[in-house]
């Protein structure tokens, strides 16, 4: 199709520019994605001929406690990567932009912004190494601080105890994620017309009212972008889990992507791993669709 | 769920500030002190890594993690550097990140030129496809890619990682750049057409120079994302001499006999390039985050 049209020139001539991209995407994304769905209907160890077993892998998934644990854990991870950073980010962005930026100076505000954003730039593996050390039970920084201030009895095996592991991972993820909404929301707040604030002042609105009625309302696009992108990256989380806990202890920090990886490369259950990743893909597509629908509906209402 | 989150987002965070009367010197000091303490806590891990990377094991066991080093001890870092051949890892990371960034920007520009300026029929479908390609979990592609790479003798090569990441990054780039190009000033395009420039010439002489700032933002993002990438190198780069910085650090950490000061030294060497990029590209980065938001 691409070829026949491109020869005609005019508007069709642009198709030629799409050719390298389309070839690359077909090879790296389309074909593997279809293959992955195909593999999910088979029993296959990665060598030999895949054996068609229909929906057996999916049936097994529904009855697999690890699968449900991984999705339960992902909800906690979403709280840590989406809900808390968004709420805290709104608060910090408002304070930095409206208060620090206007009363103390934009330079000061951007120094704070950069500081909060810094954890975002680290490779996930490095984040994992740093926090793995901090939270280590015997030699970790946390426990040694608790010891030195006489609170040694509070020391825990933060990553090794099933009671604490997920909370510890959540804590790390809040640290990683916080800077992103702060940067996004602060840039959004720049679009707020000061005249709206002045008008609200005349109506006797307090800071709080101005914030909820004007600022939050106007930076809705940024809030949507943050919610969508962070939810998706929470669903895809792998690196930090791999380095920090490897899904353990037990399945207390198991997440779908790590579960799929385990089946692919440790247990040689390619079919089962493919089923897990197919379900994860479906969830991400459905969620994105729902988000986009809500966003468009909301924009229409606003317009 | 999302609407719920939004209303909650609106409701909760401002409470602590409400009682404050903005403007007073006391409030100002209080807000600044609060922010400084909070940001300081966020940055504290960087500081802890920094001071411990220069300690000897004895020094660490005597003073604990928060004491300043009693003397600057460099041997730990030198040993670590040699042990993982860090220079080689830096070079691998650089080659992969730079290649991906250049290639992905080129592919993104070509795609977005066709979609955003060429206004191809079915461009929404194309856009949705590229967006989707970026949202996919890599796990949904990785096993077939692993299998295919073995068939084509590309397994355990940097080239394979470059090809895959170029496609994934270009998916995002296409999505972002298409909406930028849609608003490209038509007068410039018409002027080029009047001068008799063909499509390729228009792209190279007019479109690319005009959108250079956006392209540099994309390049920066692609470079840093690729540099930080962990999952694909973990699967595709098995040989020690092909590994990237994050991978080498994680692999070293997997060997349990590693002591704390080595951990600190390795963490510092992992942090330094990332922070350097951040400082160099800071303006570009914040500009990029912004332009990503407002479409």
């Amino acid at each position: 199709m691409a070829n026949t049209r491109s020869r005609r020139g005019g508007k069709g001539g642009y198709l030629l520019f799409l050719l390298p991209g389309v070839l690359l995407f077909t090879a790296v994304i389309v074909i593997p994605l279809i293959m992955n769905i195909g593999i999910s209907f088979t029993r296959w160890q990665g060598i030999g001929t895949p054996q068609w077993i229909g929906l057996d892998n999916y049936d097994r998934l529904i009855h697999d406690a690890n699968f449900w644990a991984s999705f339960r854990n992902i909800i906690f991870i979403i709280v840590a990567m989406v809900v808390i950073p968004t709420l805290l980010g709104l608060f910090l962005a408002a304070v930095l932009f409206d208060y620090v930026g206007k009363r103390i100076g934009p330079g000061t505000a951007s120094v704070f912004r950069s500081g909060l954003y810094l954890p975002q730039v680290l490779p996930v593996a490095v984040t994992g190494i740093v926090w793995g050390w901090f939270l280590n039970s015997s030699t970790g920084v946390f426990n040694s601080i608790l010891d030195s201030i006489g609170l040694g009895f509070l020391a825990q095996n933060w990553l090794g105890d099933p009671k604490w592991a997920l909370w510890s991972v959540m804590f790390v993820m809040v640290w990683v994620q916080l800077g992103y909404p702060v940067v996004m929301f602060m840039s959004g707040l720049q679009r707020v017309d000061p005249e709206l604030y002045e008008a609200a002042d005349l109506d006797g609105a307090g800071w709080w009212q101005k914030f909820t009625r004007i600022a939050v309302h106007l930076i809705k696009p940024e809030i949507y972008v943050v919610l969508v992108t962070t939810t998706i990256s929470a669903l895809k989380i792998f690196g930090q889990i791999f380095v920090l806990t490897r899904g353990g202890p037990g399945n207390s920090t198991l997440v779908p992507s790590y579960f799929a990886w385990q089946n692919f490369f440790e247990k040689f259950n390619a079919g089962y791993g493919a089923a897990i990743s197919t379900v994860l893909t479906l969830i991400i597509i459905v969620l994105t669709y729902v988000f986009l629908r809500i966003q468009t509906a909301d924009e229409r209402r606003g317009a | 769920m999302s609407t719920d989150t939004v209303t909650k987002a609106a409701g909760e965070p401002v409470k602590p500030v409400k009682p404050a009367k903005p403007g007073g010197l006391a409030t100002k000091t209080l807000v600044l002190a609060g922010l400084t303490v909070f940001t300081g806590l966020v940055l504290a891990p960087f500081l802890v890594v920094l001071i411990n990377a220069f300690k000897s094991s004895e020094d660490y066991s005597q003073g604990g993690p928060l004491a300043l080093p009693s003397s600057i001890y460099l041997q730990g870092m030198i040993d670590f550097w040699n042990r993982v051949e860090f220079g080689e890892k830096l070079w691998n990371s650089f080659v992969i990140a730079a290649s991906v960034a250049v290639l992905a920007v080129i592919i993104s520009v070509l795609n977005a030129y066709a979609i955003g300026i060429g206004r191809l029929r079915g461009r929404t479908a194309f856009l949705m496809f590229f967006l989707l390609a970026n949202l996919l979990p890599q796990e949904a592609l990785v096993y077939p890619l692993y299998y295919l790479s073995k068939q084509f003798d590309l397994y355990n090569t940097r080239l394979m990682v470059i090809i895959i990441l170029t496609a994934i990054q270009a998916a995002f780039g296409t999505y972002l750049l298409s909406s930028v190009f849609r608003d490209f000033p038509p007068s410039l395009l018409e002027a080029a057409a009047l001068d008799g420039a063909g499509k390729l010439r228009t792209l190279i002489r007019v479109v690319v120079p005009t959108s250079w700032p956006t392209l540099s933002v994309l390049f920066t993002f692609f470079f840093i994302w690729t540099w930080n990438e962990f999952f694909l190198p973990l699967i595709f780069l098995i040989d020690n001499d092909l590994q990237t910085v994050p991978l080498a650090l994680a692999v070293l950490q997997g060997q349990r006999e590693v002591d704390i000061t080595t951990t600190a030294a390795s963490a510092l060497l992992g942090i330094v390039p990332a922070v350097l990029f951040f400082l160099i590209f800071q303006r570009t980065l914040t500009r990029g985050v912004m332009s990503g938001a407002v479409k």
Side-chain angles (χ1 to χ4, degrees):
Chain A
M1 185 200 90
N3 271 326
T4 48
R5 281 223 198 131
S6 58
R7 298 283 142 85
R8 271 201 256 145
K11 281 216 156 178
Y14 284 104
L15 268 175
L16 210 57
F17 292 92
L18 212 53
L19 201 61
V22 167
L23 286 177
L24 182 69
F25 284 109
T26 311
V28 176
I29 289 164
V30 181
I31 292 174
L33 187 65
I34 294 168
M35 275 175 79
N36 192 63
I37 297 171
I39 295 170
S40 76
F41 298 114
T42 67
R43 180 178 296 126
W44 190 37
Q45 302 213 311
I47 43 164
T49 321
Q51 182 194 346
W52 185 267
I53 54 167
L55 288 171
D56 278 12
N57 282 326
Y58 292 93
D59 186 55
R60 183 176 152 198
L61 265 187
I62 297 173
H63 300 102
D64 188 339
N66 282 332
F67 176 74
W68 291 109
S70 74
F71 277 96
R72 185 194 68 102
N73 294 340
I74 247 344
I75 292 173
F76 284 86
I77 302 283
I78 287 175
V79 170
M81 288 178 67
V82 184
V83 181
I84 298 174
T86 305
L87 295 178
L88 211 53
L90 269 172
F91 169 64
L92 287 167
V95 171
L96 284 177
F97 186 83
D98 276 344
Y99 191 87
V100 178
K102 284 175 187 163
R103 287 175 196 277
I104 295 161
T108 317
S110 68
V111 167
F112 281 117
R113 181 183 64 186
S114 304
L116 295 172
Y117 191 74
L118 204 56
Q120 275 273 304
V121 306
L122 293 193
V124 289
V126 174
T127 311
I129 289 164
V130 171
W131 284 98
W133 159 37
F134 283 9
L135 297 167
N136 188 291
S137 60
S138 51
T139 49
V141 175
F142 261 36
N143 284 349
S144 115
I145 292 175
L146 286 173
D147 260 342
S148 66
I149 56 174
L151 293 172
F153 60 93
L154 287 177
Q156 301 290 342
N157 187 358
W158 301 107
L159 293 168
D161 183 340
K163 259 203 324 234
W164 289 101
L166 187 58
W167 298 109
S168 305
V169 171
M170 286 173 70
F171 178 80
V172 175
M173 293 321 295
V174 171
W175 181 79
V176 172
Q177 284 294 93
L178 184 61
Y180 172 62
V182 171
V183 169
M184 291 285 276
F185 296 158
M186 278 179 77
S187 81
L189 286 170
Q190 285 174 350
R191 288 190 287 117
V192 179
D193 185 353
E195 278 180 28
L196 283 174
Y197 272 12
E198 282 158 27
D201 277 335
L202 289 178
D203 292 342
W207 193 86
W208 162 241
Q209 279 175 313
K210 282 188 287 185
F211 180 70
T212 51
R213 302 273 165 81
I214 302 172
V216 170
H217 189 70
L218 285 172
I219 63 167
K220 264 186 186 168
E222 281 81 4
I223 296 177
Y224 277 121
V225 172
V226 166
L227 289 177
V228 178
T229 48
T230 53
T231 305
I232 289 164
S233 49
L235 286 166
K236 299 203 287 194
I237 184 172
F238 176 87
Q240 284 96 348
I241 298 291
F242 184 93
V243 181
L244 282 174
T245 63
R246 296 221 157 201
N251 57 20
S252 60
T253 59
L254 188 68
V255 290
S257 61
Y258 187 79
F259 191 33
W261 178 86
Q262 243 181 349
N263 277 288
F264 283 137
F265 299 105
E266 276 188 342
K267 299 180 177 165
F268 304 105
N269 282 330
Y272 199 48
I276 299 164
S277 54
T278 304
V279 171
L280 183 59
T281 310
L282 269 178
I283 291 174
I284 289 177
I285 291 174
V286 169
L287 261 182
T288 315
Y289 179 74
V290 171
F291 264 128
L292 288 176
R293 283 302 294 267
I294 294 172
Q295 186 180 6
T296 3
D298 193 73
E299 272 166 9
R300 244 177 251 142
R301 233 180 300 133
Chain B
M1 190 207 85
S2 73
T3 41
D4 198 36
T5 322
V6 172
T7 42
K8 253 197 278 160
E12 204 162 325
V14 190
K15 268 175 211 152
V17 172
K18 196 183 170 189
K21 290 267 179 291
L25 187 65
T27 326
K28 217 180 248 183
T29 321
L30 210 67
V31 170
L32 267 186
L35 277 171
T36 310
V37 169
F38 185 81
T39 312
L41 285 175
V42 170
L43 294 177
F46 291 92
L47 190 67
V48 174
V49 167
L50 186 69
I51 58 179
N52 287 289
F54 297 101
K55 282 182 192 170
S56 65
S57 301
E58 303 77 54
D59 199 357
Y60 182 88
S61 52
Q62 267 170 21
L66 296 187
L68 286 172
S70 56
S71 64
I72 299 291
Y73 177 79
L74 288 172
Q75 200 53 42
M77 207 162 322
I78 293 167
D79 287 347
F80 168 78
W81 185 291
N82 293 331
R83 180 166 168 186
V84 302
E85 294 176 80
F86 199 74
E88 183 184 74
K89 306 300 183 273
L90 279 173
W91 175 243
N92 287 335
S93 275
F94 178 79
V95 168
I96 293 176
S99 318
V100 169
V102 170
L103 291 172
V105 168
I106 293 174
I107 299 277
S108 306
V109 167
L110 291 174
N111 284 345
Y113 186 51
I115 295 171
I117 290 177
R119 308 239 163 189
L120 284 182
R121 213 178 306 158
R123 60 180 176 274
T124 326
F126 272 121
L127 271 183
M128 286 322 280
F129 169 71
F130 288 120
L131 176 65
L132 212 62
N134 189 248
L135 297 180
L136 287 176
Q138 293 176 356
E139 293 77 17
L141 309 171
V142 79
Y143 204 79
L145 286 171
Y146 170 76
Y147 181 78
L148 292 171
S149 72
K150 288 196 157 175
Q151 302 298 308
F152 290 100
D153 245 356
L154 284 171
Y155 183 63
N156 199 16
T157 61
R158 280 174 295 204
L159 180 62
M160 188 65 197
V161 176
I162 292 171
I163 294 173
I164 302 174
L165 283 171
T166 298
I168 292 173
Q169 316 283 38
F172 175 81
T174 303
Y175 182 73
L176 188 88
L177 216 51
S178 296
S179 62
V180 174
F181 280 1
R182 207 169 45 207
D183 303 326
F184 197 86
S187 53
L188 284 179
L189 296 173
E190 283 155 21
L194 280 180
D195 288 346
K199 291 192 175 64
L200 184 62
R201 215 180 145 77
T202 310
L203 175 65
I204 295 170
R205 290 288 163 84
V206 180
V207 177
V208 168
T210 315
S211 41
W212 201 249
T214 317
L215 300 188
S216 67
V217 169
L218 267 189
F219 178 88
T220 310
F221 267 100
F222 293 164
F223 185 90
I224 293 180
W225 287 342
T226 308
W227 183 282
N228 291 351
E229 181 66 40
F230 179 67
F231 185 72
L232 291 166
L234 174 73
I235 288 157
F236 286 97
L237 301 174
I238 301 302
D239 282 353
N240 192 35
D241 60 353
L242 295 176
Q243 283 172 353
T244 58
V245 170
L247 192 56
L249 297 181
V251 168
L252 178 89
Q253 216 50 40
Q255 306 159 356
R256 279 303 159 200
E257 79 275 18
V258 173
D259 58 45
I260 302 281
T261 45
T262 309
T263 300
S266 73
L268 184 66
L269 288 175
I271 289 172
V272 166
V275 172
L276 273 181
F277 298 145
F278 174 67
L279 293 176
I280 296 169
F281 295 128
Q282 203 193 5
R283 272 168 190 282
T284 334
L285 276 175
T286 34
R287 196 150 43 96
V289 173
M290 288 174 202
S291 69
V294 190
K295 279 178 284 192

